[in-house]
Amino acid sequence: MVVPSGSVFFVKPISFSGPNCQPKIVFQLDGKIIAPKDSGSWGSGLLQWLEFTKLTGITIRGKGIIDGQGSVWYNPTAKMPSTKPTALRFYGSSDVTVTGLTIQNSPQTHLKFDDCTNVQVFSMSVSSPGDSPNTDGIHLQNSKDVVIHDVKLASGDDCVSIQTGCSGIFIHNVNCGPGHGISIGGLGKDNSKACVSNVTVRDSTISNTMTGVRIKTWQGGSGSVQGIMFSNIQLSEVKTAIMIDQFYCDGSKCSNKTSAVAVSGITYRNIKGTYTENPVHFACSDSLPCTGVILNTIELKAVQESNPLSNPFCWKTYGELQTSTVPPIDCLQSGKLAKQQSSAQC
C-alpha cells in the first residue's frame, strides 16, 4: 500500500485487521494523512484513529506525515467526544516496524503498541505542543522485545510511556522534550497487578521536561518493577531529574494503602545535566520499600545555582552509592529488606 509523495489524504477512523493477511506487508507512507476535525466523524469517541491489528510482519515506512489535527481536541471548550483517539495503534501483532515518518498533533497518544512482540521503531519523530494534554509520544503496554532508537519525541506528556506487561525493552539515542520525560508507569491503578521487567534506557537527551527518568506507581497495586537500567542520559532544564514515586496520584485525592507494586533492581549510571526544582526524588512505599537502587556517576546541577533549591529526597529507599554524586545523595539507605519481595510475584 502506497501513500504517494506530494499527496494529502483525509482519512476517517480505519482498522486494518488480520489475522488472515499475507505476512510482511509494507505500508509506504510518503505523502500526508490528516484526521477529521469535526465531532461527527468520531461518533461517541474512539480509542484510535489508524489501527493495525492481529498482523504478522507489518512495516510502516516513508517520509510522510500522520497529522491528527489535535488542536480542536486540546481546546476544553470544543464539543469533541470525551474519548480521545490514539493516532496510530498496533494491537496483537508481531514483527512490527515503524520508521521514517512523522506523527504530529495527535488528539491523545501518538503511537501505541498493545500486546505486540518484536517491535522496532527508529528514525522517526513525534511532534505536538508541550501543553497538549495526554499526548504521549510512544506508549507500550503488554508488549515484549521492543527496540526504540534514533527518534525525536516532543509532546505534552511522556516521551515514552512503559506500562504493565512490558519486558525486554531497549531504548537508546532518543531526543526527548518537551514533555514529561521517559516514564515507567503509572502502575497498579485501582488495586491492579502490574509487571515490568528488563528495561534499558541509554544514550539519550531529555530537555525542558517535567521529569527526566521516572518510575511511578499507585498505592494499592501489586506486582513488580525490576531490572531497570538508565544509563548515559543528558538532562537539560528538567524540573525533577530522577524520580521514583510510589505515591502517584493524578490530581484526585488518593487514600493511603499498604500494598504496592514492588520496585527493585533500578540502576542509574552516568546521569548528568541541569534541573530547575529537584535533582532526585525517591518516594517509596512504607510497607514495601524500594531496594537495589544503584547510583553511579550522577552529576546534577541547578539551572540557577545561586537560588536555594530542593535537596535530594529519599523515603524508604535502599541501595548503593557506587560513586560520589553531585549533589550528595546522602539520604539513600544501605542494606536490603528480606521481606521486600512479598508482593512482587509476576
Side-chain angles (χ1 to χ4, degrees):
M1 184 174 292
V2 177
V3 179
S5 177
S7 60
V8 180
F9 291 89
F10 172 82
V11 179
K12 292 186 177 182
I14 188 169
S15 179
F16 299 91
S17 300
N20 298 319
C21 303
Q22 68 181 54
K24 299 184 179 179
I25 295 171
V26 175
F27 191 109
Q28 185 73 31
L29 175 60
D30 292 321
K32 186 175 185 178
I33 297 175
I34 61 174
K37 296 174 73 172
D38 62 290
S39 60
S41 297
W42 299 97
S44 59
L46 293 172
L47 293 176
Q48 60 277 321
W49 169 34
L50 307 172
E51 180 186 43
F52 292 83
T53 177
K54 298 181 181 178
L55 298 172
T56 300
I58 171 70
T59 296
I60 298 185
R61 69 186 186 195
K63 299 179 180 178
I65 296 173
I66 295 174
D67 189 346
Q69 301 208 93
S71 59
V72 66
W73 297 85
Y74 310 153
N75 182 357
T77 64
K79 296 181 178 180
M80 298 299 286
S82 57
T83 302
K84 299 178 181 181
T86 289
L88 177 59
R89 177 180 183 245
F90 293 86
Y91 172 75
S93 297
S94 61
D95 301 319
V96 181
T97 299
V98 178
T99 181
L101 61 147
T102 295
I103 308 174
Q104 63 189 32
N105 301 321
S106 177
Q108 196 164 268
T109 298
H110 288 76
L111 176 58
K112 180 181 287 187
F113 297 94
D114 194 348
D115 195 24
C116 292
T117 58
N118 296 324
V119 174
Q120 292 205 45
V121 180
F122 61 96
S123 301
M124 58 85 64
S125 65
V126 161
S127 177
S128 64
D131 59 355
S132 55
N134 300 313
T135 53
D136 289 22
I138 301 174
H139 180 102
L140 306 176
Q141 186 167 330
N142 295 315
S143 293
K144 297 182 167 101
D145 301 323
V146 178
V147 179
I148 299 169
H149 66 93
D150 295 286
V151 296
K152 182 175 175 57
L153 306 173
S155 68
D157 210 303
D158 295 326
C159 293
V160 182
S161 172
I162 302 168
Q163 299 294 330
T164 185
C166 289
S167 64
I169 311 299
F170 184 35
I171 299 168
H172 65 99
N173 296 96
V174 170
N175 187 329
C176 165
H180 290 181
I182 296 176
S183 297
I184 297 173
L187 303 172
K189 187 175 183 179
D190 298 326
N191 304 322
S192 62
K193 183 177 181 179
C195 300
V196 174
S197 63
N198 299 327
V199 177
T200 297
V201 180
R202 61 177 301 166
D203 303 320
S204 296
T205 61
I206 303 175
S207 305
N208 300 296
T209 56
M210 186 175 76
T211 57
V213 290
R214 172 171 59 159
I215 298 171
K216 50 182 177 175
T217 71
W218 296 76
Q219 293 187 76
S222 63
S224 69
V225 178
Q226 56 187 352
I228 313 298
M229 166 72 78
F230 297 107
S231 175
N232 298 334
I233 310 291
Q234 184 67 43
L235 306 176
S236 178
E237 298 189 34
V238 170
K239 185 175 178 182
T240 300
I242 297 173
M243 174 179 278
I244 298 176
D245 183 9
Q246 290 199 276
F247 300 90
Y248 179 71
C249 184
D250 66 352
S252 56
K253 187 175 180 180
C254 301
S255 59
N256 289 328
K257 297 180 179 180
T258 56
S259 61
V261 178
V263 175
S264 64
I266 317 297
T267 299
Y268 302 90
R269 179 173 292 132
N270 197 27
I271 314 293
K272 299 180 179 181
T274 60
Y275 64 92
T276 61
E277 288 192 13
N278 301 296
V280 175
H281 183 91
F282 291 144
C284 295
S285 167
D286 290 292
S287 58
L288 207 64
C290 302
T291 64
V293 177
I294 295 174
L295 299 171
N296 185 309
T297 317
I298 309 298
E299 297 179 12
L300 302 169
K301 298 181 179 180
V303 171
Q304 297 179 324
E305 294 188 51
S306 59
N307 288 353
L309 293 166
S310 299
N311 292 319
F313 173 82
C314 311
W315 179 259
K316 302 293 184 179
T317 310
Y318 291 79
E320 178 186 357
L321 286 173
Q322 294 186 336
T323 67
S324 59
T325 63
V326 179
I329 306 175
D330 300 329
C331 57
L332 187 70
Q333 300 181 66
S334 61
K336 298 180 180 179
L337 300 179
K339 65 178 182 177
Q340 195 267 348
Q341 298 295 332
S342 58
S343 75
Q345 300 302 314
C346 281

